Amino acid sequence: MAGGYYKIKRGESLTFWERLYLPEIFRGLSVTTRHFIPNWISTIIAYITRTPEKRKIMTIYYPEELPEIPDSYRGKPVLVRAGNGATKCVACGLCEVACPPKCISIVGGNRSDGTRYPETYTLDGSRCIFCGLCEEACPVEAIVMSHRYQDLCEHDRSKMIYSKEDLLVPEKDLQSRLDFIRRRAYGKCNY
Amino acid sequence: MDITLIPGYQYMPELVEMMLKIVFIFTMNVGVFAPLLGYVERKQSALMQDRIGANRAAILGFTIFGLWHTMTDAIKLIAKEDFIPEGADKPLHFLAPFVAVVPALIAFAVIPFGGTYYLWGHEAHLIIADLDVGILFIFAVAGIGTYGAVIAAWASNNNWSLLGGVRTAAQMVSYEVAMGLTIVGVLMVYESLKLTEIALIQEDFFMWGIFLQPVGFLLFLACALAENKRVPFDIPEAESELIAGYFTEYSGLKFAMFWMAEFVEIVTISAILTVLFFGAWHIPFVTHDGLLSLLTSVVGADIGNLLLMFIHLAVFWGKVCFLIVFLMLIRWSLPRFRYDQIMKLGWKIILPLALVNILATGVILLVVK
Amino acid sequence: MQLLMFYLIGFFAVLSAVSMIVVRKPLNSALFLILNMICLAGLFALLNAHLIAVLQIIVYAGAIMVLVLFVIMVLNLREKDGDITVRKVAAQFVGIIVVSVVMVMVGASVDPSAISALGSASPEFGTVVGVGKTLFTDYILPFEIVSVLLLAAIIGAVILSKSKV
Amino acid sequence: MGVENEEQGFEHVLGDSVILTTVEQVVGWGRKFSFFLYPFITACCGMEFMSVAGPRYDIDRFGAALPRFSPRQADLLIVVGTISHKQLPILNKVYNQMAEPKWVFAYGACVVSGGMYDNYSTAQGIDTILPVDVYVPGCPPRPEMVFDGLMKLQDIVQNEKFSKWPRGAGKYTAEELK
């Protein structure tokens, strides 16, 4: 079953039994039968005993079962909302430059205390290729790749252009990813 | 009103029996097996590929293992646009699916699906028409079934369809010859063309065709698969070469009819194999009379006969189901032959082997007698 | 009942035979020929000659006509719109006259008393047993000769179709 | 817009036609669980599409497993991979060949908007020539994202009115695309 490896011997020419063809057909049938019968029986048993983890089929029942997402997974890019409620972004434009499909566009502005901030931060979700280069380029950890992959599909393409407000996510929701970035950036030997 | 006053009243039981049998076969094929085979094909292929298969459609939260998907397919296909391509021969385009379906259903007329039972003074034979040409009738009807594909191919005004039709014609002609010869060995052993007689001889477990004619069985299986135009012999509808072969230009209900024809043909082939090689409705080591006397002693003659009939029907259709699963297994396991390989297999391997089989059977029969 | 069936099948047989000639498209014409064959098989079946009926379908409708269709499809014979010329009209006119003359002559030459004098065939006629017995007892020599002829034809076909080495 | 007005008119004439609504619901239910795909695969997303159809994720669970390679029999045109301007007439032809009702599924960033390829040779999204029902971003999208899109499409199909069909041919003719 799953996980087993078969070592296939490939001869230069076919043997007599292989040229006879019929035994090979039965071998082919036996391979599929070896998958079919155990899968069938285990599925029925799993259904009767209500133990879905015991079925031998590895299919994920998607909307009900969700896959485990590793920290290194790159989902929808989001802006980090810092403790004071504003974005960490300083509108330096490095992500704009680093982005391969050029899907980020920033209009920067100055706050009253002289710090820079993005007046608008537009990310075209339909062009984004989830490469994570913006995250690597960002000097202040303002934009990170979240683990969100659901509900990114739309019926209307214009809805896929995200504004700053759409992108802002509280910092505590992104803690695992931020930790991962720091591990990767500052301690390459640690992971 | 006195029933005897109706003209021809003495034929009434026969007429009712005939109607019942036709309705039964029709519902079994069109109502039960054709939709179920769509489901089996889906689910079995899924399980063979370590997938789970269709299971999302639900009514009131019940998915019943994805069986609703058969219904959704049917609804979808009925609601789909019926497309006729430009430049097509409209009457023929309309006619072709029917020509494909009807022969597949008619072939069932000569296949016995049960023995003879005495029910309340009436003798019931579970076969629609017990012709003395039996198996030849099936070949004849299968030959007519080819025209469905050929007409569809021609009427579609499409090059791929036409190629599919030409391939169908070539394949059918080649394999019909081989198929006829493979079956001769069986006919020699049982000394009859009547399928009922062949079935009755197989009451003895060791007289089953699979034991007497193993080579004949393999060859006939190969030919039957080729006649059915399914993988590994699906060269007329080879998807990688001809899009969908002769039904490329069919959509909606007509496409569904081609599909149904294919499924009905599978059922027919399974039934023929059951009758010729797997002892028809007989249970191994249990004779008709033995079981009947046992049942009669328990519940009486009439009910006993009725019970026996249902047992035999269950056994027959059970064997058919088993063979269907086997045919599906072949369909989802083996790769498609190349066109020249199919022709080579038909003319250079199966045909000579069938002739040798006939010769060997003849010699053995001479020696035994 | 039998008479009704006979008239029904006969009507369709004649209809399809006429249509076969009249229809312009080659494929439709071939399909009508198939229908005609099937109707003929039905007539044989009405005469209790089951084997011949089935063989009619297997050999003619099943095998030979598939080859005819095959050729039509390979050559891709589509309907060609020809102009109606004087010559064509004249040819049709002459054809109708010839056919009617032949029909009248055939009708006149048939002797009704001869038909009734033929008598009825044995009940075994045309069944598998009947044909088998006749073939392998009375006509064994012609049967064998025909088989040798067919064998020669097969070998000839193989040699003719074999490409030169 | 015109379609919507007609729809209102249609509903107005029939009133609260329970029967029509029920039939629409039933047919919509049948259609949404029985997509026959036409996979129009040109590029790397195809690999990920195989994973969607494979045992791990199994698109067959949604009843959308049967790829029909004849557009006449397909319901859902799944456009997978970069569509260059040379490909557009072909895609348009396939779409026009499909029998009604038909839906279009944009799979991956290149199909949705041109993605990375903001250049002269690539079509900036197939919605420039076809009406697209669901856009699934990603390069390539995760199989779960595809299923999300498929379920969104199922929601639309469930509640569709018959008056939406036929949808007709694509926006441009073959000559205009050349």
Side-chain angles (χ1 to χ4, degrees):
Chain A
M1 283 313 318
Y5 291 94
Y6 306 103
K7 192 172 184 191
I8 299 168
K9 234 172 34 182
R10 291 189 196 278
E12 286 289 308
S13 58
L14 298 176
T15 62
F16 172 73
W17 287 107
E18 279 167 352
R19 263 180 293 155
L20 209 58
Y21 204 81
L22 208 57
E24 293 298 306
I25 284 183
F26 284 113
R27 261 178 59 186
L29 289 179
S30 80
V31 167
T32 40
T33 317
R34 278 208 303 273
H35 283 256
F36 170 51
I37 303 287
N39 282 342
W40 194 12
I41 293 168
S42 77
T43 312
I44 290 172
I45 289 174
Y47 181 81
I48 292 169
T49 58
R50 304 268 162 200
T51 47
E53 69 279 357
K54 277 196 182 159
R55 59 168 191 260
K56 288 188 171 177
I57 287 169
M58 53 169 144
T59 308
I60 294 177
Y61 284 36
Y62 165 60
E64 292 87 28
E65 296 174 12
L66 295 178
E68 277 182 30
I69 298 293
D71 284 345
S72 55
Y73 180 71
R74 301 190 300 270
K76 181 190 177 189
V78 292
L79 291 171
V80 179
R81 188 195 288 273
N84 60 2
T87 168
K88 283 182 180 178
C89 178
V90 294
C92 63
L94 281 178
C95 50
E96 218 178 334
V97 176
C99 184
K102 309 265 183 292
C103 70
I104 303 174
S105 58
I106 307 172
V107 177
N110 290 326
R111 289 203 186 89
S112 52
D113 58 354
T115 50
R116 295 267 293 166
Y117 81 106
E119 273 179 12
T120 60
Y121 191 106
T122 319
L123 194 146
D124 188 349
S126 68
R127 278 194 188 272
C128 179
I129 59 168
F130 305 92
C131 60
L133 288 183
C134 48
E135 182 192 60
E136 280 184 24
C138 187
V140 291
E141 290 177 0
I143 183 163
V144 296
M145 310 301 285
S146 69
H147 291 165
R148 198 178 137 196
Y149 56 87
Q150 286 173 305
D151 296 326
L152 297 181
C153 327
E154 294 291 345
H155 302 312
D156 189 356
R157 196 168 133 190
S158 59
K159 282 184 194 158
M160 295 167 82
I161 296 170
Y162 305 119
S163 66
K164 191 170 76 175
E165 284 68 36
D166 298 332
L167 291 168
L168 276 170
V169 170
E171 189 170 359
K172 61 179 192 316
D173 294 350
L174 298 165
Q175 205 55 54
S176 65
R177 178 72 187 179
L178 284 167
D179 290 345
F180 171 76
I181 299 169
R182 282 163 199 156
R183 279 210 308 276
R184 192 177 63 184
Y186 306 123
K188 282 204 186 294
C189 311
N190 292 349
Y191 66 96
Chain B
M1 186 182 162
D2 191 0
I3 198 163
T4 52
L5 290 180
I6 303 168
Y9 82 99
Q10 65 271 37
Y11 299 120
M12 286 292 257
E14 273 79 24
L15 208 63
V16 169
E17 185 197 332
M18 184 63 71
M19 293 310 282
L20 276 178
K21 283 188 292 197
I22 291 173
V23 167
F24 174 74
I25 285 296
F26 191 76
T27 22
M28 265 326 236
N29 273 306
V30 179
V32 179
F33 270 101
L36 211 60
L37 270 166
Y39 172 75
V40 169
E41 172 142 35
R42 236 177 185 184
K43 208 71 178 174
Q44 189 177 347
S45 66
L47 288 173
M48 279 165 64
Q49 297 161 1
D50 291 350
R51 296 187 287 121
I52 192 72
N55 70 349
R56 291 283 300 169
I59 290 181
L60 304 174
F62 290 102
T63 58
I64 50 169
F65 302 106
L67 205 56
W68 295 123
H69 280 271
T70 311
M71 214 159 110
T72 60
D73 278 351
I75 292 172
K76 201 268 320 252
L77 285 166
I78 289 167
K80 189 116 174 122
E81 180 195 0
D82 188 16
F83 187 84
I84 297 176
E86 201 179 313
D89 194 329
K90 285 200 181 68
L92 288 184
H93 192 267
F94 179 79
L95 192 73
F98 295 93
V99 178
V101 171
V102 170
L105 283 171
I106 288 179
F108 239 100
V110 294
I111 298 175
F113 47 97
T116 307
Y117 309 96
Y118 299 93
L119 305 169
W120 292 279
H122 177 70
E123 198 175 319
H125 306 275
L126 290 193
I127 178 171
I128 291 175
D130 194 5
L131 296 182
D132 60 347
V133 284
I135 190 84
L136 288 181
F137 178 80
I138 293 171
F139 288 149
V141 169
I144 299 294
T146 314
Y147 291 114
V150 174
I151 294 173
W154 175 264
S156 294
N157 190 25
N158 179 319
N159 286 344
W160 308 118
S161 298
L162 192 67
L163 275 173
V166 170
R167 284 181 175 193
T168 312
Q171 186 177 325
M172 291 297 127
V173 169
S174 310
Y175 276 84
E176 232 160 60
V177 176
M179 196 173 175
L181 284 175
T182 52
I183 216 72
V184 171
V186 182
L187 303 180
M188 282 164 77
V189 171
Y190 295 126
E191 294 176 344
S192 176
L193 279 172
K194 262 187 174 178
L195 285 168
T196 39
E197 284 177 16
I198 292 175
L200 277 176
I201 295 170
Q202 296 185 50
E203 193 168 357
D204 183 0
F205 181 57
F206 296 105
M207 287 296 280
W208 281 21
I210 183 82
F211 301 120
L212 299 180
Q213 284 283 323
V215 181
F217 168 68
L218 283 177
L219 297 177
F220 181 73
L221 185 67
C223 292
L225 281 172
E227 286 279 304
N228 193 12
K229 304 189 281 288
R230 276 168 75 85
V231 183
F233 296 96
D234 70 331
I235 208 76
E237 51 193 89
E239 276 155 348
S240 49
E241 301 157 28
L242 300 182
I243 308 174
Y246 54 89
F247 53 76
T248 302
E249 295 284 357
Y250 280 86
S251 72
L253 210 53
K254 288 183 197 161
F255 164 59
M257 283 180 77
F258 276 114
W259 231 7
M260 203 170 79
E262 206 173 294
F263 287 150
V264 173
E265 271 173 26
I266 294 174
V267 181
T268 313
I269 286 170
S270 304
I272 297 169
L273 284 171
T274 309
V275 172
L276 287 181
F277 296 103
F278 290 96
W281 59 87
H282 296 298
I283 311 163
F285 305 115
V286 178
T287 56
H288 183 109
D289 296 334
L291 194 60
L292 182 62
S293 59
L294 182 73
L295 285 171
T296 308
S297 63
V298 179
V299 288
D302 289 330
I303 306 278
N305 261 304
L306 196 66
L307 266 180
L308 188 67
M309 188 173 90
F310 284 123
I311 290 172
H312 280 169
L313 277 178
V315 169
F316 180 80
W317 290 106
K319 284 175 180 174
V320 169
C321 287
F322 176 78
L323 280 169
I324 286 171
V325 169
F326 181 66
L327 292 180
M328 289 275 178
L329 194 74
I330 292 176
R331 187 242 182 280
W332 285 99
S333 298
L334 301 178
R336 179 190 305 138
F337 287 110
R338 229 167 38 222
Y339 185 70
D340 60 323
Q341 285 172 334
I342 283 193
M343 287 298 144
K344 208 168 149 187
L345 185 70
W347 288 109
K348 286 192 180 171
I349 297 173
I350 291 184
L351 195 69
L353 273 180
L355 290 173
V356 169
N357 185 37
I358 294 170
L359 192 69
T361 312
V363 169
I364 291 171
L365 281 179
L366 269 183
V367 170
V368 168
K369 286 181 181 173
Chain C
M1 186 68 187
Q2 275 212 333
L3 202 65
L4 188 73
M5 289 288 281
F6 171 76
Y7 279 124
L8 201 69
I9 295 173
F11 172 71
F12 274 110
V14 172
L15 192 73
S16 54
V18 171
S19 321
M20 185 202 109
I21 299 167
V22 172
V23 164
R24 294 175 66 90
K25 295 180 188 173
L27 190 101
N28 290 19
S29 169
L31 289 177
F32 276 119
L33 186 55
I34 294 165
L35 188 63
N36 190 16
M37 300 282 185
I38 294 170
C39 290
L40 281 185
L43 290 178
F44 277 126
L46 276 183
L47 290 174
N48 227 7
H50 298 147
L51 183 69
I52 294 171
V54 168
L55 287 183
Q56 169 87 11
I57 293 182
I58 293 180
V59 175
Y60 287 100
I64 290 178
M65 286 315 292
V66 168
L67 290 178
V68 171
L69 285 189
F70 188 84
V71 171
I72 291 175
M73 282 163 70
V74 168
L75 296 180
N76 208 353
L77 297 172
R78 294 264 168 195
E79 181 189 13
K80 287 194 186 70
D81 291 325
D83 300 327
I84 297 174
T85 55
V86 181
R87 209 173 138 186
K88 267 190 184 169
V89 173
Q92 282 168 2
F93 188 66
V94 172
I96 289 169
I97 289 175
V98 170
V99 167
S100 35
V101 167
V102 168
M103 280 179 85
V104 167
M105 282 168 71
V106 169
S109 64
V110 171
D111 184 7
S113 60
I115 294 175
S116 57
L118 278 175
S120 61
S122 66
E124 267 197 349
F125 170 79
T127 60
V128 181
V129 179
V131 172
K133 268 187 186 156
T134 328
L135 201 60
F136 288 106
T137 52
D138 298 347
Y139 297 100
I140 184 73
L141 189 66
F143 178 74
E144 290 297 334
I145 291 171
V146 165
S147 65
V148 170
L149 183 71
L150 280 176
L151 186 67
I154 289 170
I155 293 169
V158 168
I159 288 172
L160 282 179
S161 63
K162 200 179 164 193
S163 57
K164 299 244 173 2
V165 180
Chain D
M1 278 284 105
V3 173
E4 240 158 57
N5 287 336
E6 270 174 31
E7 195 179 285
Q8 279 160 8
F10 196 50
E11 287 288 295
H12 183 73
V13 171
L14 283 173
D16 289 335
S17 170
V18 181
I19 296 169
L20 188 67
T21 320
T22 317
V23 171
E24 273 172 350
Q25 289 284 322
V26 169
V27 171
W29 178 76
R31 281 172 177 168
K32 81 171 182 178
F33 283 118
S34 168
F35 290 126
F36 288 0
L37 309 180
Y38 184 92
F40 190 91
I41 298 181
T42 57
C44 38
C45 279
M47 297 296 134
E48 204 66 11
F49 183 75
M50 289 173 200
S51 147
V52 171
R56 182 82 176 164
Y57 294 101
D58 192 10
I59 203 169
D60 191 8
R61 291 180 50 238
F62 297 83
L66 280 170
R68 297 305 315 174
F69 297 104
S70 164
R72 308 280 187 217
Q73 295 144 16
D75 310 297
L76 182 58
L77 176 64
I78 291 204
V79 187
V80 184
T82 322
I83 303 295
S84 60
H85 283 298
K86 277 270 188 189
Q87 283 280 340
L88 277 182
I90 303 167
L91 179 62
N92 192 46
K93 193 170 188 178
V94 168
Y95 177 79
N96 289 347
Q97 278 174 341
M98 283 168 73
E100 309 276 351
K102 51 189 173 186
W103 296 275
V104 182
F105 190 103
Y107 187 114
C110 298
V111 182
V112 174
S113 63
M116 239 166 52
Y117 305 104
D118 189 2
N119 55 23
Y120 67 95
S121 66
T122 309
Q124 298 301 302
I126 56 163
D127 52 357
T128 49
I129 61 157
L130 300 179
V132 178
D133 290 282
V134 175
Y135 298 89
V136 181
C139 185
R142 222 189 138 75
E144 280 90 353
M145 284 157 81
V146 179
F147 289 153
D148 265 347
L150 197 65
M151 284 189 288
K152 278 203 169 161
L153 182 62
Q154 285 184 337
D155 288 344
I156 318 179
V157 172
Q158 172 74 71
N159 297 313
E160 259 170 359
K161 299 267 181 282
F162 286 155
S163 48
K164 188 180 169 187
W165 308 107
R167 207 176 210 180
K171 284 179 202 164
Y172 301 103
T173 60
E175 282 73 32
E176 281 168 334
L177 284 173
K178 277 172 192 165

